[in-house]
Amino acid sequence: MSDTPKSGAIAPPASNFIRNLIDEDNRSGKWGGRVETRFPPEPNGYLHYGHAKSICLNFGLAQSYGGACHLRFDDTNPEKEEQEYVDSIIEAVRWLGFDWGEHLYFASDYFDRMYACAEYLITSGRAYVESLSAEEMRAYRGTLTEPGRDSPYRNRSVAENLDLFRRMRAGEFTDGQHILRAKVDMTSPNLNLRDPAIYRIRRATHHRTGDAWCIYPMYTFAHPIEDAIEGITHSLCTLEFEDQRPFYDWLLDALATGGFFPRPLPQQIEFARLNLTYVVLSKRKLIQLVDEHHVDGWDDPRLPTLVGARRRGFTAAGFRLFAERIGVTKSDTWIDVSVLEECMREDLNDAAERRVAVLDPLKLVITNYPEGHSEQCEAPNHPLKPELGKRPMPFSGELWIEREDFMETPAKGFHRLYPGNMARLRYGYVVKCSGYEKDADGNVTAVLCEYLPDTKSGTPGADSVKVKGNLHWVSVAHAYEAEVRLYDRLFAHPYPGNRREGDPEDFERSYIDDFNDTSKLTIRAQLEPALANARPEDHFQFERHGYFVADRIDSTAGAPVFNRTVTLKDSWSKTKG
């Protein structure tokens, strides 16, 4: 599919058409009520948001029908595969909340059986060894409008093909000297049926089998066989594999005829991949972002990788909610990234305890507060969950407040602090602004106030004075100063590198040109002291600011670093979208 978005863009929540297909199979008794799916990543990179959709779909369907989902690594390309990726994928699937039980498999487990299948195709006249060069094969293949031509090697005898293939296996030939091709139909309008390659010579050390093999199956050959070996009932994949389905069916039918697999055979079902605004999911583009240091590695919280999302504070429950909300369709549509962000807010609003943080600190001095004195105020840990109790917040005569909570000359409708006005310090007292201090450059350095001693929150006098403004604060003497990273969307345009039809700027450009230069801001903030004890991956709502998480990499005992996950509300739709 082209990266250029189509008009009519944003998809509403959709139904899951695959459930209808499974329900029909169950009604007909095709599989005896059995449902087995699989998530089959290649261990050559880090998983991204699109994989999260597939994981939730495959594991979720199997769970809901009382079946099983297999985790299978399609490790048929040894040059690009590493154990590091295997480990990260296993961790990501577990983090999302799914378990495969005993069903952990590798394509390399089946190399001997795949080889036997290939020999059977040769002996039954369904495969041959090709000796054309890659360039010559392209010329013989034809085009979308012109049929292909038979290779001069297509009619080699079974004996010659078997001999050559076994010599390929024995390592007698160089890489690319020969390949094995399925003999299907060079005149088919579907280019994928024009005698596709099914085995190639590749001298590369495999991360599991070492140097035991110098020939490796192609993915389009290996994938159907893996499904059949494992007894997969519904093989779910994205729409780009739709044109591969005829070969999937051709291959399994041929091997079932040869007695390799029982019928019924696995069914391939395609669904639309995930397309998100403000995001790129192309592996090539993600590699470029990392290699050119536009981001801080594969786990950069701005990247749409699952390791990045986890570090940013996105939750597994939020991803599962997102997958359920967007549904599954057969048509390519665009989902606004705000849908994903809102799912995270919805989960974190319920899960995250509340804390106070001042991100742009300005000192407030209470001139009539007893010098050197401090006391405890109480703040609820979660307003929706009173059973979580309250926590103490130390209060003193010098506090940090947000700079935006004071104005020398108030704008219309401003109800916080300005000379002569009163406001409540949340969980504390009502204060009245009596003045302010400036430095030589005219910058306000401190706000001066007097407090009303009988107005402490939680006491009988709390409601004796009515005010409209409500400020959050932390005590200067007790605050924990921390590094806080304010993360935002990585790109400033909803379709990076493209302009939608009808847009005044309807032209192609590099997606790098749409990079959001303010996608990461690092600040020093003043936090309530309880946050100093936060553990890596602890989530909080910083009141008024959004949801934050203690960084799982850079946080240390007693010195957590915080990442903003999402703001409290979507500000993009009005200010930037």
Side-chain angles (χ1 to χ4, degrees):
M1 189 192 78
S2 167
D3 284 338
T4 305
K6 299 176 181 178
S7 293
I10 308 305
S15 61
N16 187 335
F17 75 96
I18 298 174
R19 287 186 178 275
N20 298 334
L21 297 175
I22 295 175
D23 290 342
E24 180 57 35
D25 285 344
N26 287 342
R27 278 193 294 271
S28 69
K30 179 179 179 181
W31 297 102
R34 188 168 61 88
V35 175
E36 292 202 35
T37 60
R38 83 288 175 272
F39 174 62
E42 299 174 70
N44 59 8
Y46 291 95
L47 301 185
H48 56 59
Y49 296 175
H51 294 112
K53 173 184 175 179
S54 181
I55 292 167
C56 292
L57 173 62
N58 280 284
F59 280 91
L61 282 172
Q63 280 183 356
S64 64
Y65 285 95
C69 181
H70 302 187
L71 176 58
R72 179 208 305 147
F73 290 93
D74 272 306
D75 54 344
T76 58
N77 191 359
E79 292 173 311
K80 297 183 178 181
E81 296 160 354
E82 297 179 17
Q83 186 63 36
E84 170 192 352
Y85 299 130
V86 172
D87 295 340
S88 73
I89 291 169
I90 287 175
E91 183 179 15
V93 177
R94 281 193 175 130
W95 173 70
L96 282 173
F98 299 108
D99 185 82
W100 47 90
E102 61 184 358
H103 299 291
L104 175 63
Y105 304 109
F106 292 81
S108 52
D109 294 336
Y110 313 134
F111 280 173
D112 287 319
R113 295 177 72 175
M114 291 178 189
Y115 181 82
C117 290
E119 283 208 351
Y120 167 74
L121 293 182
I122 292 172
T123 58
S124 62
R126 295 182 175 94
Y128 63 97
V129 173
E130 175 65 88
S131 301
L132 290 176
S133 67
E135 185 177 346
E136 290 170 329
M137 283 180 60
R138 279 192 293 272
Y140 273 83
R141 191 184 190 201
T143 66
L144 290 171
T145 57
E146 297 179 355
R149 295 176 291 145
D150 286 356
S151 163
Y153 303 102
R154 195 174 195 265
N155 294 316
R156 276 174 164 156
S157 68
V158 167
E160 183 181 5
N161 281 318
L162 200 57
D163 175 66
L164 285 170
F165 187 53
R166 289 173 175 172
R167 290 165 65 192
M168 288 169 60
R169 167 73 178 89
E172 293 186 24
F173 304 116
T174 59
D175 288 12
Q177 190 172 351
H178 301 292
I179 63 167
L180 185 68
R181 299 178 72 174
K183 187 186 288 187
V184 189
D185 182 2
M186 287 301 294
T187 65
S188 172
N190 184 341
L191 271 63
N192 297 287
L193 291 179
R194 294 183 187 177
D195 293 6
I198 58 176
Y199 259 95
R200 80 282 201 197
I201 303 169
R202 186 74 79 243
R203 282 176 173 77
T205 301
H206 192 278
H207 74 106
R208 296 186 76 241
T209 61
D211 296 318
W213 293 86
C214 64
I215 59 171
Y216 290 95
M218 305 296 288
Y219 176 79
T220 51
F221 175 77
H223 166 224
I225 293 174
E226 294 156 15
D227 286 347
I229 289 173
E230 295 174 17
I232 299 301
T233 58
H234 303 85
S235 182
L236 313 180
C237 54
T238 47
L239 279 173
E240 58 262 39
F241 293 98
E242 186 172 29
D243 289 343
Q244 297 282 359
R245 178 162 26 104
F247 180 70
Y248 181 102
D249 294 340
W250 178 92
L251 176 62
L252 290 187
D253 182 70
L255 294 175
T257 300
F260 283 84
F261 306 116
R263 302 179 190 273
L265 296 165
Q267 176 184 1
Q268 178 175 303
I269 303 169
E270 305 85 18
F271 62 93
R273 70 180 184 180
L274 179 64
N275 297 306
L276 274 179
T277 59
Y278 295 96
V279 169
V280 296
L281 295 176
S282 157
K283 183 179 292 186
R284 174 183 59 82
K285 292 178 179 179
L286 294 177
I287 290 172
Q288 183 183 1
L289 288 170
V290 173
D291 287 351
E292 295 181 1
H293 304 291
H294 297 288
V295 293
D296 303 323
W298 285 102
D299 64 348
D300 187 306
R302 296 167 292 176
L303 269 190
T305 55
L306 294 189
V307 287
R310 182 176 177 180
R311 191 171 181 187
R312 181 163 176 166
F314 282 13
T315 65
F319 273 114
R320 295 194 299 270
L321 177 62
F322 175 66
E324 178 184 347
R325 190 156 290 172
I326 63 174
V328 185
T329 71
K330 290 275 293 186
S331 59
D332 273 321
T333 51
W334 286 81
I335 305 296
D336 197 290
V337 74
S338 64
V339 178
L340 174 62
E341 294 168 344
E342 189 57 35
C343 288
M344 297 302 161
R345 289 189 189 97
E346 193 169 322
D347 178 55
L348 289 167
N349 181 55
D350 179 70
E353 291 194 3
R354 276 46 169 174
R355 294 294 184 267
V356 175
V358 178
L359 304 187
D360 187 13
L362 173 64
K363 186 175 288 188
L364 181 147
V365 179
I366 304 176
T367 57
N368 64 333
Y369 194 81
E371 186 175 353
H373 180 66
S374 67
E375 60 185 293
Q376 298 293 339
C377 297
E378 286 193 330
N381 285 316
H382 199 305
L384 304 178
K385 298 181 178 181
E387 67 273 15
L388 294 179
K390 297 182 178 182
R391 67 191 187 281
M393 281 185 61
F395 184 92
S396 65
E398 291 191 348
L399 308 174
W400 294 116
I401 64 170
E402 291 290 348
R403 187 168 295 275
E404 67 178 17
D405 287 345
F406 172 78
M407 296 185 73
E408 297 177 64
T409 304
K412 184 178 180 180
F414 184 79
H415 299 299
R416 284 162 277 174
L417 288 178
Y418 55 86
N421 195 48
M422 290 192 295
R424 173 168 290 281
L425 298 173
R426 189 168 170 83
Y427 314 123
Y429 297 91
V430 172
V431 293
K432 181 176 183 178
C433 180
S434 57
Y436 54 92
E437 297 175 352
K438 288 186 173 183
D439 61 17
D441 296 324
N443 300 310
V444 175
T445 57
V447 176
L448 307 178
C449 287
E450 294 180 352
Y451 85 120
L452 281 60
D454 296 331
T455 61
K456 187 176 183 179
S457 295
T459 68
D463 297 327
S464 62
V465 178
K466 301 296 184 182
V467 296
K468 292 184 177 180
N470 208 323
L471 317 183
H472 70 278
W473 52 271
V474 294
S475 167
V476 170
H478 303 89
Y480 165 58
E481 183 177 323
E483 178 179 315
V484 175
R485 300 156 180 170
L486 303 178
Y487 288 108
D488 206 342
R489 298 176 184 178
L490 189 59
F491 295 97
H493 193 277
Y495 306 97
N498 295 283
R499 293 296 181 262
R500 298 185 57 197
E501 296 173 14
D503 193 300
E505 298 179 286
D506 187 18
F507 59 87
E508 294 290 322
R509 55 189 267 138
S510 170
Y511 73 101
I512 297 293
D513 295 335
D514 288 322
F515 192 85
N516 179 13
D517 292 330
T518 60
S519 59
K520 178 185 178 182
L521 299 175
T522 302
I523 62 173
R524 301 295 297 181
Q526 300 292 338
L527 316 182
E528 68 168 275
L531 286 168
N533 299 317
R535 297 163 300 180
E537 296 195 271
D538 278 352
H539 296 84
F540 301 97
Q541 184 196 102
F542 287 1
E543 295 184 14
R544 284 179 55 186
H545 292 304
Y547 296 97
F548 290 73
V549 67
D551 188 274
R552 64 191 298 252
I553 304 297
D554 294 335
S555 295
T556 57
V561 173
F562 290 94
N563 301 329
R564 183 172 66 190
T565 305
V566 286
T567 53
L568 283 180
K569 296 181 179 179
D570 176 19
S571 60
W572 277 75
S573 58
K574 293 182 179 180
T575 63
K576 302 175 185 178

